[in-house]
């Protein structure tokens, strides 16, 4: 004989009348509780609830893009006044140029403002060849950000005068200015020499004409004397 008390303890019944084990009954009871918590009445469901997990959708809060916020903050903090930028030391201007071009590439800073600043003669004033070459490299690498007219102007501007031989843009300008002065002085001296040469040749020609006239008169006088004899 099977002990009916023990078997009864091990088995439990569900509302549908199906005999279940104690663990299954406990699971079913937990499912009923979850259903009631979700607003579902298990007694009104004809089919047996098989224990599917039910959950309510929760609205996910939109994640703030930290990179975008950081870019906006950096763009707001970066000085864009020409007077403030050119008053920085050459190394500070180099750092500013790097930050400005990076933010411009991401659309955070208007490119025309950068162009107006770096085209100023004060931006390259006092800049060494080492720093100037770095500036030149940054502008050359990001030349595509500028308009075609601006690109042409930058390619023939002061920043492109920096070279590896140690000459800076300002030094290069001085050399060009000296060459122009030397050329102008040479042309002026050449012109003065030429004018003096012309004056001498003209004076010689006038002397020659005078001598010819004098000789002619002397010959005429000699002929008159011969006639009188």
């Amino acid at each position: 004989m099977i002990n009916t008390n023990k078997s009864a303890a091990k088995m439990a019944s569900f509302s549908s009348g199906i005999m279940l084990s104690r663990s299954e009954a406990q699971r079913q009871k937990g499912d009923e509780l979850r259903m009631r918590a979700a607003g579902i009445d298990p007694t009104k469901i004809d089919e047996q609830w098989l224990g599917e997990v039910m959950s309510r959708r929760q609205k996910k809060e939109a994640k703030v893009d930290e990179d975008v916020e950081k870019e906006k903050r950096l763009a707001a903090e970066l000085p864009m006044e020409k007077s403030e930028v050119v008053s920085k030391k050459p190394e500070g201007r180099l750092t500013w140029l790097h930050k400005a071009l990076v933010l411009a590439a991401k659309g955070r800073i208007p490119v025309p403002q950068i162009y107006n600043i770096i085209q100023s003669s004060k931006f390259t004033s006092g800049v060494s060849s080492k720093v100037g070459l770095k500036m030149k490299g940054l502008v050359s690498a990001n030349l595509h950000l500028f308009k075609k007219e601006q690109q042409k102007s930058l390619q023939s501007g002061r920043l492109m005068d920096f070279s590896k031989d140690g000459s800076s843009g300002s030094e290069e300008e001085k050399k060009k200015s000296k060459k122009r002065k030397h050329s102008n002085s040479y042309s002026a001296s050449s012109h003065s020499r030429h004018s003096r040469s012309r004056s001498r040749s003209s004076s010689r020609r006038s002397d020659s004409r005078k001598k010819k006239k004098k000789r002619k008169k002397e010959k005429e006088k000699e002929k008159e004397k011969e006639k009188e004899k």
Side-chain angles (χ1 to χ4, degrees):
M1 290 290 292
I2 300 170
N3 193 339
T4 56
N5 291 331
K6 288 182 179 180
S7 63
K10 288 180 180 179
M11 306 296 288
S13 64
F14 193 56
S15 59
S16 61
I18 299 172
M19 297 300 291
L20 301 169
S21 66
R22 182 181 291 178
S23 61
E24 289 178 347
Q26 287 176 349
R27 181 177 61 78
Q28 293 266 359
K29 189 175 181 180
D31 290 343
E32 283 184 6
L33 291 172
R34 285 193 293 272
M35 289 176 72
R36 292 184 190 280
I40 301 170
D41 189 357
T43 61
K44 293 182 180 180
I45 298 176
D46 294 330
E47 296 180 357
Q48 184 181 1
W49 185 55
L50 300 177
E52 291 90 351
V53 177
M54 301 183 69
S55 63
R56 291 181 181 178
R57 289 185 179 180
Q58 296 179 351
K59 291 182 179 180
K60 293 183 179 180
E61 294 182 3
K63 289 185 178 181
V64 179
D65 193 333
E66 293 181 359
D67 291 336
V68 172
E69 290 299 318
K70 185 179 179 181
E71 289 169 9
K72 287 181 180 178
R73 179 174 55 81
L74 290 172
E77 292 174 354
L78 194 69
M80 294 304 293
E81 289 291 331
K82 187 190 292 184
S83 57
E84 189 174 352
V85 176
V86 299
S87 64
K88 292 177 178 290
K89 292 181 178 179
E91 290 78 8
R93 280 175 250 167
L94 175 63
T95 304
W96 174 89
L97 179 62
H98 179 262
K99 289 180 180 179
L101 290 171
V102 169
L103 291 170
K106 295 178 180 179
R108 301 297 172 193
I109 286 178
V111 177
Q113 278 188 273
I114 300 173
Y115 172 79
N116 290 334
I117 293 171
I118 64 178
Q119 275 295 85
S120 172
S121 58
K122 292 181 180 179
F123 186 77
T124 54
S125 177
V127 175
S128 66
S129 178
K130 183 179 178 181
V131 175
L133 281 171
K134 289 180 180 179
M135 287 180 174
K136 179 181 177 179
L138 284 172
V139 173
S140 298
N142 294 276
L143 206 61
H144 61 280
L145 297 174
F146 300 89
K147 294 180 180 179
K148 287 185 178 180
E149 292 180 358
Q150 293 174 342
Q151 289 178 13
K152 289 179 182 178
S153 181
L154 286 169
Q155 285 173 330
S156 60
R158 296 177 182 85
L159 276 171
M160 299 302 157
D161 287 337
F162 288 98
S163 58
K164 292 181 180 180
D165 61 1
S167 60
S168 65
S170 57
E171 288 174 356
E172 196 70 23
E173 270 189 42
K174 287 177 182 177
K175 286 180 181 179
K176 288 180 181 178
S177 179
K178 284 181 180 179
K179 284 181 181 179
R180 284 195 296 269
K181 286 180 180 178
H182 179 70
S183 177
N184 291 336
S185 63
Y186 177 77
S187 60
S189 62
S190 177
H191 178 72
S192 62
R193 284 196 301 269
H194 185 63
S195 61
R196 285 197 298 269
S197 176
R198 281 189 299 177
S199 63
R200 282 196 296 268
S201 61
S202 60
S203 63
R204 285 171 185 170
R205 284 195 297 270
S206 64
D207 291 341
S208 178
R209 284 195 295 270
K210 286 178 181 179
K211 286 179 180 179
K212 284 181 179 179
K213 285 180 179 180
K214 189 176 180 182
R215 286 173 186 172
K216 190 177 181 181
K217 285 181 179 179
E218 286 176 354
K219 285 180 179 180
E220 287 177 353
K221 285 180 179 180
E222 286 177 359
K223 285 179 180 181
E224 285 178 0
K225 286 180 180 178
E226 287 178 356
K227 285 179 181 180
E228 287 175 359
K229 288 179 180 179

